[in-house]
Amino acid sequence: MIGSTIEIDLACLRHNFSKVRELVGQSAAVLAVVKSDAYGHGMVPVARELEYQGVEYFGVSNCREAVTLRQGGVRSPILLLLGVEEDELDYVIQYSLTPVIFRSDVAKAISASAVAAATKIPVHLKIDTGMGRLGVPYVEAESFFELISSLEGIRVEGILSHFAAADEHDKSFSKQQLQRFHQVLTLADNIGLTFRYAHIANSAGVIDLPDSYLQLVRPGLMLYGGPPSQELHHPINLEPVMTLKT
């Protein structure tokens, strides 16, 4: 009989996570990105193993993925990286999820749902420092902060941005993004808005930009054994978690 199998080696996952810890130390918490079924590696078993190893947070794309983790027994905080829609807010409350927000209408809807449920919903605010994808443009951060500060039922836990080119050899734009992010953090502090977690470091940031660690890092690809690119300044010994045999 001829066929193919895919094997997932959790020992390799543990090894790669240990490399994250070696780089970051205890100075920052780790949010493991397990979106898209943990990059095809099996979201629930991967997350449960990483939770056992001490990962403090998980990142998924949407509510559907988060509910899958909760139903699979994962109890750690889960961040909805792509945000949330108004019709998903019941799931956010029911499963204790943390949405990323970057739209004023969604922020107001979260506030209304939290007040109606007599609870507070933790959120992370996303700032676009140059990625050009999702997020409040950094030059508009102050007005967004003022809106968030005026809303009831929202507990601002974190703030994040995303590197556009940290996997490239030239780190000049990434350093510019990090500088903009620090400027936004100073602006928030000046108006009395504080965060438990500020985070911008993806896998490439974890490997190549230690100044970007802040209070939380978000490794994704490197956990599964894939270096973010071949242009990194600091080689790292990662082990592929997935093996295809035929």
Side-chain angles (χ1 to χ4, degrees):
M1 183 175 180
I2 299 174
S4 300
T5 60
I6 290 176
E7 294 183 1
I8 305 299
D9 190 338
L10 294 181
C12 294
L13 180 72
R14 292 192 292 271
H15 168 84
N16 298 334
F17 174 62
S18 74
K19 293 301 178 182
V20 175
R21 280 292 189 212
E22 284 179 16
L23 290 169
V24 176
Q26 299 302 318
S27 63
V30 176
L31 180 151
V33 180
V34 294
K35 64 182 181 180
S36 303
D37 197 29
Y39 294 72
H41 292 73
M43 176 186 295
V44 170
V46 163
R48 290 184 61 146
E49 178 63 32
L50 289 173
E51 188 174 49
Y52 182 77
Q53 296 302 317
V55 163
E56 293 90 347
Y57 230 116
F58 291 98
V60 299
S61 294
N62 51 47
C63 267
R64 177 183 56 79
E65 293 182 339
V67 170
T68 298
L69 287 184
R70 285 285 186 252
Q71 293 177 343
V74 174
R75 296 291 171 255
S76 299
I78 301 174
L79 190 64
L80 305 176
L81 293 169
L82 298 185
V84 65
E85 297 298 330
E86 293 183 28
D87 60 1
E88 297 173 322
L89 291 176
D90 287 344
Y91 293 108
V92 169
I93 295 172
Q94 178 182 354
Y95 290 99
S96 300
L97 309 178
T98 304
V100 166
I101 57 174
F102 43 85
R103 286 169 38 190
S104 58
D105 59 331
V106 173
K108 293 174 183 176
I110 290 174
S111 172
S113 292
V115 170
T119 188
K120 285 186 177 291
I121 296 176
V123 301
H124 289 214
L125 312 181
K126 184 158 190 179
I127 305 299
D128 182 1
T129 55
M131 181 75 177
R133 194 166 59 187
L134 297 178
V136 177
Y138 71 97
V139 294
E140 300 174 13
E142 184 173 11
S143 60
F144 191 66
F145 291 159
E146 290 172 350
L147 168 67
I148 296 299
S149 298
S150 72
L151 297 175
E152 298 179 8
I154 287 180
R155 177 168 60 84
V156 179
E157 181 186 74
I159 184 170
L160 69 152
S161 190
H162 199 291
F163 283 130
D167 55 349
E168 296 180 1
H169 185 79
D170 183 356
K171 299 293 192 264
S172 56
F173 187 64
S174 296
K175 291 178 180 179
Q176 183 181 46
Q177 282 190 267
L178 184 58
Q179 182 181 32
R180 290 171 177 171
F181 194 48
H182 278 294
Q183 290 170 350
V184 169
L185 294 177
T186 299
L187 178 63
D189 187 61
N190 289 341
I191 64 175
L193 191 59
T194 59
F195 311 97
R196 179 180 180 184
Y197 298 118
H199 47 115
I200 189 172
N202 53 7
S203 289
V206 170
I207 296 169
D208 255 6
L209 292 164
D211 288 345
S212 71
Y213 292 170
L214 306 179
Q215 291 84 44
L216 184 74
V217 297
R218 304 192 308 265
L221 189 62
M222 69 180 298
L223 289 173
Y224 309 103
S229 80
Q230 300 302 316
E231 299 183 39
L232 298 179
H233 292 262
H234 301 100
I236 185 169
N237 175 28
L238 300 173
E239 297 178 356
V241 176
M242 179 185 292
T243 304
L244 172 65
K245 296 182 177 181
T246 188

